[in-house]
Amino acid sequence: MNRNHEQKMQFILSIRSKGVVDENVLNALETVNRQYFLKGLFAQRAYEDTPLPIECGQTISQPSVVGLMTQALNIKNRDKILEIGTGSGYQTAILSKLARRIYSIERFKPLYEEAREIFNKLNLNNVTSIWGDGSQGLVEQQPFDRIIVTAAAEDPPPTLLNQLKIGGIMVIPVGQSDEIQKLIRVERTETHFKYEDLCDVRFVPLLDGKEEDIYV
């Protein structure tokens, strides 16, 4: 067994041990090479289940959290998904293996440009990248079957909740940015929203607006 194959096996076992048991999600995590979304020395740590820094003061989430968030969405292959916070593009690429169409919004222009380049290289033709204000969602493409937010809000933003279909699901971290946050799952019914706590997480805060400056 070569080293790369052994690393990948350990990687999937580690993620499974954290509660990711959906086989479609695990297959997507196995298929998408996290190394493509990391630079320099960090690329050598792609198979570690840990968050790692990327440009603009952001992070690439740990794979088990990516897996848990994706699993909680309960994605069907005809779903249209809105992702708030493209970041490195790793979570987006996982989603692209499971759903029909992904619209991913990133507020930092350098991250948006880099992610779009990677998506093109990987031929992820069902991903539409947008440089914009994710806090406002994407009104022109609503309603969405699923919405995933990769930044923490104090509460699920009504603007985004209202862009969910009836029966749609949103997964979002909530809580103050300097405290432990809760990952929650919200399902929209015909009359109300159902909330479910999933686990403790830590994400960067969800911010309004879009940012053009390059941060290191």
Side-chain angles (χ1 to χ4, degrees), residues 7 72 87 112-113 159 209:
Q7 275 186 320
Y112 151 75
E113 289 174 342
T159 305

Side-chain angles (χ1 to χ4, degrees), residues 65 68-69 152 172-174 176 179-184 198-203:
V65 172
L68 288 168
M69 292 180 80
I172 179 172
V174 295
Q176 300 292 340
E179 299 173 1
I180 290 293
Q181 304 145 359
K182 283 283 183 192
L183 186 64
I184 67 167
L198 299 176
C199 59
D200 292 340
V201 289
R202 188 178 288 276
F203 279 82

Side-chain angles (χ1 to χ4, degrees), residues 41-117:
L41 292 173
F42 293 117
Q44 298 170 20
R45 301 176 60 187
Y47 287 118
E48 293 180 21
D49 188 28
T50 187
L52 292 166
I54 57 172
E55 286 185 353
C56 304
Q58 305 299 292
T59 58
I60 180 172
S61 294
Q62 66 191 87
S64 59
V65 172
V66 170
L68 288 168
M69 292 180 80
T70 307
Q71 180 172 269
L73 287 169
N74 191 24
I75 298 168
K76 306 292 188 267
N77 61 10
R78 299 300 301 162
D79 282 350
K80 180 170 73 170
I81 298 180
L82 174 63
E83 179 187 36
I84 308 301
T86 312
S88 69
Y90 178 60
Q91 171 76 77
T92 323
I94 299 296
L95 297 171
S96 77
K97 302 297 180 185
L98 301 166
R100 175 175 61 89
R101 169 62 56 187
I102 319 297
Y103 292 89
S104 186
I105 305 176
E106 175 52 56
R107 73 186 301 266
F108 289 104
K109 195 170 187 182
L111 292 180
Y112 151 75
E113 289 174 342
E114 283 194 16
R116 190 175 59 167
E117 197 173 306

